[in-house]
Amino acid sequence: MLNYTEYRQYDATGLAELVQKKEVTASELLETAIQRAEAVNPKVNAIIYPLFDSARTTAALEGAGPFAGVPFLVKDLGLEIKNTPIRTGCRGYEGYISKQDSYAIQKIREAGLVIMGKTNTPEFGLTPYTEPELFGPSRNPWNLEHSPGGSSGGSGAAVAAGIVPMATASDGGGSIRIPASCCGLFGLKPTRGRISLGPTCGEMWSGAVVEGCVSRSVRDSAAYLDAIGGTQPGDPYLTTPLEGTYVSQLGQNPGKLRIAFSTVHPLGLAVDQACKDAVAKMAKQLSDLGHEVSEATPLPYFKEDLLERFLVVVSGEAEGELQQLGKFLKRRPTTTDVETNTYALALLGRTFKAGDFAQAKKEWNEIAQRVARFHQQYDLLLTPTLASRPIKIGALQNSPAEQTLLKFVNAFNLGFMVKASIGQLADKAFGYIPWTPFANMTGQPSMTIPTLWTEENLPVGTMFTAMQGREDLLLRLATQLEGAMPWGGRMAEL
């Protein structure tokens, strides 16, 4: 049996190789992971629903697949595991039990991964931090006063804390890349439609949401995409499959890439110097590797894209979430079922007309065309992943005055007042994540790379975005960068 110090030295691919060589058993790996979870989860609050007993049964079967025997965690949002609760961070879903496995869960099982629990997420994945009222905040293993990001914050915290080497994450506005950046991990958001969201749904957030993972190594994310990627009948989006595998792209020379960079905040706000320094460090590294790096002026992103086009669709989707919850409850949800901000965002969604929603979605397509023209000149766009280092727990929560106002607005369904109230909260959220949502609106693949650590021992990532379908290009560059500026050996200590 590996002790924790030995266990922590391996990524998921490395652990699977040990099992394959019979140097360790799946059950032994699982017990090490459970011991680590029991030691650190009270500090980081990453796992909200342990599945240790069923995991022991699975591990004892010693299944096959590229990740056979590797302990694994699943975000408690979107992916359903048969006969287990799924709460999505929401009080109203008490008593809900999944009746079937999601397509991706079926593929995860076929890959040999041993699901040992479900991870914390904000209510309906709506925030870039993970602080649901139902389960409490997840904390960043690098500095427990700070957030691991969201909405896949529980998964990010679990991987950074060394419980598992890899965990599922989903991304509708940055929720793979945000926690990966906050937790010093690699995070790849795939192209829209690369991984089926079926059979319970065809699309989420009007096509913005994709499934993926957070991991410690590039090769794990590549192998995960090979294992989990695919579509099924009824899916609304079909992507051209890669010839060969994503793992086969690793180590291939990406060639001399034309890379534009920018640290200009799309809302015109200030950007943390640490995030600017991370981009400068990355730009120099890229130049040293022989790539053509130049500053992008202007960016193909506009503030209206976030504050109007993205917000209209997301608020409409929040109202849709409440309608879906209402089917389970058999009544209209109230403020006792969901959090104040969720109810207010849904109320905002009800103030828009169907035509407003349709027009905003059409404008997403216009953004995609605008960005495509940008990529005719540049292979990749480099920006900070976030506009600041990982925030402190509670930093983006409502002030007492905001909370009081929103409760008043919700109590009386004052739709005419909610726009201003939610607008202030949206400004704060988009001030923190001004770059990540664009790839969700356009469907592009995007990745974050651990780049530097601040004086508070907080990770800061940089983000690369490519044209649709070019995960292969991102992975080739990521492998090159992982060799030039390795981050995998740096670990949070709790």
Side-chain angles (χ1 to χ4, degrees):
M1 180 172 176
L2 293 182
N3 61 39
Y4 171 68
T5 302
E6 295 167 329
Y7 171 82
R8 188 68 182 274
Q9 302 306 311
Y10 294 90
D11 63 0
T13 302
L15 290 176
E17 289 172 352
L18 292 179
V19 174
Q20 184 179 21
K21 294 176 182 176
K22 301 189 182 302
E23 295 181 16
V24 67
T25 67
S27 295
E28 288 170 341
L29 288 184
L30 178 63
E31 293 306 321
T32 300
I34 290 173
Q35 289 175 15
R36 180 62 176 172
E38 291 173 341
V40 301
N41 198 59
K43 300 177 184 178
V44 299
N45 193 29
I47 301 171
I48 49 88
Y49 192 81
L51 294 168
F52 297 164
D53 289 341
S54 62
R56 287 182 170 114
T57 300
T58 301
L61 296 175
E62 298 191 0
F67 291 112
V70 176
F72 193 66
L73 291 165
V74 173
K75 178 182 178 181
D76 190 41
L77 180 74
L79 297 184
E80 300 212 31
I81 303 174
K82 187 177 180 179
N83 295 329
T84 66
I86 180 169
R87 300 297 299 273
T88 67
C90 176
R91 292 188 296 268
Y93 275 115
E94 183 177 4
Y96 182 92
I97 302 295
S98 295
K99 297 179 175 60
Q100 60 184 330
D101 282 344
S102 295
Y103 169 85
I105 293 297
Q106 296 172 30
K107 301 285 277 186
I108 285 166
R109 294 190 193 280
E110 290 172 9
L113 290 158
V114 179
I115 300 172
M116 58 176 284
K118 304 186 80 173
T119 61
N120 203 2
T121 183
E123 188 168 64
F124 302 138
L126 286 170
T127 62
Y129 50 89
T130 302
E131 301 171 23
E133 293 176 2
L134 179 61
F135 294 114
S138 290
R139 295 182 177 274
N140 195 319
W142 293 96
N143 188 319
L144 295 175
E145 295 181 0
H146 291 256
S147 171
S151 64
S152 310
S155 289
V159 176
I163 298 173
V164 291
M166 180 174 66
T168 73
S170 55
D171 194 316
S175 295
I176 292 172
R177 293 158 290 159
I178 296 164
S181 179
C182 290
C183 295
L185 305 173
F186 178 70
L188 172 66
K189 172 209 169 295
T191 296
R192 177 182 293 150
R194 186 68 75 191
I195 299 174
S196 175
L197 301 178
T200 52
C201 62
E203 66 174 10
M204 298 175 67
W205 281 23
S206 297
V209 172
V210 296
E211 281 293 332
C213 70
V214 288
S215 67
R216 286 176 45 210
S217 69
V218 176
R219 68 176 185 171
D220 278 357
S221 286
Y224 184 81
L225 190 54
D226 282 329
I228 310 304
T231 59
Q232 61 176 11
D235 284 351
Y237 303 105
L238 297 176
T239 57
T240 303
L242 180 73
E243 292 186 8
T245 66
Y246 288 104
V247 169
S248 70
Q249 300 299 312
L250 306 181
Q252 289 195 31
N253 190 336
K256 184 176 182 179
L257 300 176
R258 301 165 300 165
I259 302 174
F261 74 89
S262 178
T263 59
V264 176
H265 197 297
L267 302 186
L269 303 176
V271 176
D272 190 328
Q273 188 60 47
C275 301
K276 292 181 178 181
D277 291 344
V279 169
K281 178 181 178 181
M282 181 60 74
K284 182 180 184 305
Q285 182 65 75
L286 293 166
S287 294
D288 290 345
L289 290 169
H291 299 294
E292 182 182 318
V293 183
S294 58
E295 188 166 7
T297 307
L299 274 175
Y301 301 156
F302 303 149
K303 66 179 181 180
E304 293 81 10
D305 297 336
L306 295 174
L307 298 180
E308 297 174 16
R309 294 154 189 155
F310 191 65
L311 186 58
V312 168
V313 173
V314 170
S315 63
E317 293 288 346
E319 166 59 14
E321 291 281 9
L322 260 63
Q323 292 186 21
Q324 187 68 25
L325 175 59
K327 290 182 179 181
F328 171 68
L329 296 173
K330 296 182 173 54
R331 59 173 173 79
R332 174 72 188 179
T334 69
T335 52
T336 63
D337 302 307
V338 297
E339 297 177 13
T340 298
N341 286 1
T342 301
Y343 196 90
L345 187 61
L347 184 57
L348 175 62
R350 296 173 71 186
T351 69
F352 294 118
K353 299 176 182 177
D356 298 326
F357 188 96
Q359 181 60 28
K361 192 63 172 68
K362 285 181 180 179
E363 288 172 340
W364 282 26
N365 296 327
E366 186 275 326
I367 297 168
Q369 295 298 320
R370 186 198 316 152
V371 171
R373 291 192 293 272
F374 177 85
H375 280 285
Q376 291 175 5
Q377 184 177 358
Y378 300 106
D379 297 305
L380 301 173
L381 173 62
L382 165 65
T383 65
T385 308
L386 303 169
S388 80
R389 66 197 71 197
I391 58 173
K392 284 195 172 184
I393 300 293
L396 293 183
Q397 292 284 6
N398 299 347
S399 68
E402 289 168 338
Q403 188 75 353
T404 299
L405 176 61
L406 282 176
K407 285 184 176 180
F408 175 78
V409 166
N410 289 343
F412 295 98
N413 285 329
L414 301 178
F416 68 94
M417 289 181 61
V418 77
K419 289 185 180 180
S421 302
I422 287 293
Q424 294 175 358
L425 299 176
D427 285 348
K428 289 197 294 186
F430 291 136
Y432 184 46
I433 57 164
W435 296 284
T436 55
F438 288 97
N440 300 91
M441 289 187 276
T442 63
Q444 296 168 259
S446 184
M447 68 178 181
T448 184
I449 300 282
T451 307
L452 61 78
W453 272 254
T454 69
E455 63 277 8
E456 312 103 318
N457 200 34
L458 292 169
V460 174
T462 51
M463 185 171 73
F464 293 87
T465 303
M467 275 298 291
Q468 285 94 335
R470 294 311 309 269
E471 290 96 331
D472 60 327
L473 185 60
L474 290 174
L475 289 167
R476 290 180 186 183
L477 178 63
T479 309
Q480 190 179 55
L481 291 170
E482 191 176 31
M485 47 191 302
W487 58 81
R490 186 160 185 168
M491 302 177 186
E493 300 297 337
L494 289 174

